[in-house]
Amino acid sequence: MRTIDYSIEPPVVEQNPSLSSINESIAKPLETKPTKGWYIAISISLTMLLIGAVSLGWTFYKGVGVWGVNQPVGWGFDIVNFVFWVGIGHAGTLISAILFLLRQRWRTSIARFAEAMTIFAVMCAGIFPAIHTGRPWLDGYLFPYPNQHALWVNFTSPLLWDVFAVSTYFTVSLVFWYIGLIPDLAALRDRTTNKIKKVVYSILSLGWRHSNRHWQHYEMAYLILAGFATPLVLSVHTIVSFDFAVSIMPGWHTTIFPPYFVAGAVFSGFAMVQNVLIIIRKVFKIEHIITLDTLEKMNKVMLATGMMVGYAYGMEFFIAWYSGNPIEQFVFLNRALGPYAWSYWIMVSCNVLFTQLFWFRKIRRSIPVMFVIAVLVNVGMWFERFVIVVTSLSRDYLPSSWGMYIPTIYDFGILIGSFGLFFTLIFLFIRTLPVVSIAEVKAVLPNSQPSHGGHN
Amino acid sequence: MENKPLYSVAATFDDVNKLIKAVDKVNEAGYTIYDVHSPYPIHGMPKAMKLKPSKLGFVTLIFGLSGAIFAFLFMYWVNVIDYPLIVGGKPFYQLPAYIPVMFEVTVLSASVFTIVWMLFIMFKFPNLSHPLLDTDYMKKVSVDRYGISIQAKDELFDLVKVKEFLKELGAEEVFEIYFKVDELKDKPKIFDKKFISFLALTTVIVSGITYFILNHLLFMSPFNWMHEQFRVDPQTTTTVFKDNFGMRNPVAGTVARGHLPYPFKGNPADAEKFLVNPLIPTKQVLELGKQKYLTFCSPCHGNFGEGDSRLRGQFPNPPTLHSDKLRNMKDGGIYHIITDGQNVMPSYASQITEEERWAIVHYIRVLQRSLNPKESDLR
């Protein structure tokens, strides 16, 4: 039997690379011509983006009537997609902030990428509430500014909290990401021989000089940001869940929603990060930096959060029964057995059943299997939001006002478009900025820190 | 060579442990104006360099707290003072509902200002003309070397001695770093022709775009404020009805509510005799009557019914409403005049509802009594 010494933390990167080789391998994609594979990938994602743009253009021209939403289901794919994308965004901040505070050193190799993903996912998410208002060019009214109508927003509405939560989250993630990028941009600046690139990197790195007088404040700033981003990330999905929980719809009006949403967000976010990382490390040959150990740890996080989500599914049923509220009970039976039961069972099997396979070490370490499971997790998590939004709205208190929701091709077009946007941004990102934090990875290499450690 | 001012002497090391030892020695030797450069933060380096702990946290505290307080006061002002609006039967001031926004604003201002403060105030970034930038030394320490740079400003500085000293510490390479004179001289000129024309061009483009958006784009489809709608406008055709008329006649034999034909047309005597004011002169009724009187009657009859028209002879002046004839006329008679008109005064039946007409009558009575009060009013 293999014994593992748990007292020693395994190295974050493998093969003990030299400091300069880290620069080499991370800067390589930025300095070489894109491969054929990259062109194929980006043309697919741009096509998807175009489909979304056309569907959206048509929606703007005709109005949201071209979607499947109507009475009683006034929240359709738009809100489902919004919650889905915000959720995807959560993994980034979790990895970069919470794991940073918990001193999980394995996060260093994936933090940058996960943060970028957060930003792109929040951008995708932000589109949906904006277009869902029907006339997105008037969305400025969502913000409290002294406007010509002498009107203020309703500060006591969860929908307004959402505006604040998502925009704060986006800004703080962007700042966090940028702050992490500055030393790397400086490293690229010192490396590049191309004049235009040099100007761009110089401007973006603001004149960073790797000074230890700066590093000291920099680390403090990073710690502070991580400290703020941690409650922020929890608050964002909590507030998103308030959009539902503060209403009086059966199936929405529950106190379990905030933790349940946060767990689900981390769950789907990790699945997405894992999926994209598997591709990136393969394509850019940085398997020694983003190691199998790291992926295995991500799978463990998915297993844990998946079970939290499963617990929430069970608890919802229990509370429905325990509350003695017949309408609540009906809603949950309707979820599992009603006309949308298929979506409910897709959700349960993808989120709860398949992830149980991660109990096996072999599966946790098998790249193709974990890739498939993570794809399924995201399918499942998308359906979770679908189940929550649609089943509750389609059958609420009054049977006379029940109705079915049938999405139109424009709904699907916009969903495809959001994936197109996300992947387009990712493909552009991996060719323009370092996908792994050079400075952070160097700092965790063996022999990179003073050995006597007396100063700690 | 001589005319270039020296910034510092810098040395690279190839190992962190050597670096830490070297930094200790630099401190011992009494140098104070020096810096250590490394491609990543080194544990224990602030202590080795004898740096004071970062005070950045106070900046965060101040901006975070001000964010929270600002958000609270702002929401309180909006909800309680400037725009009190009852939502869901809840009180105007409701702290629990303010907490989410307060939290978000706190986080936003704390984190953004911490970074802004650090980068732009503490580090004085952006600084692209720093002498260290673009040197071979910088290119090494940004990859895999560690460097110490002792500045010429230091009191103990002496070019030859410092070079020797650094070599003794085990430096791999030693660099002399000079200010870039041409960059120092190169001050940005605000009145540069290029800059001015750039500003002018930006102004023209930005204002042009703004003008276009606000005055044209917002009135084009689909941004046109919902002007275009799927509805039947008056005087247009429609396919909904068989006869393609957009406007409909009332169903034969029916009368719409509030549109009973007036039975006393051309018959003021009977109107006065049979019509009774159904309204009681309550405060609301009088308010309504006042409003409608001022809107519809005052241009000709004057604000107080004295026949002092504002129309300056464009229409024959009406008689006063305080005449004995009118004061003794029953409510029904005045109602009839509003409904049917009298001589040159036209009918107001199409503009003023029946209820409003009766309210006006009450208001006229108020006006009349204000000029000719009863005995009892004077007491």
Side-chain angles (χ1 to χ4, degrees), chain B residues 13-26:
Chain B
F13 297 82
D14 57 355
D15 182 81
V16 232
N17 293 318
K18 263 193 215 163
L19 176 78
I20 289 261
K21 271 183 211 134
V23 171
D24 284 340
K25 289 266 163 57
V26 170

Side-chain angles (χ1 to χ4, degrees), chain B residues 91-104:
Chain B
F92 294 135
Y93 168 64
Q94 30 175 336
L95 185 60
Y98 295 172
I99 287 176
V101 173
M102 276 168 71
F103 174 78
E104 301 299 333

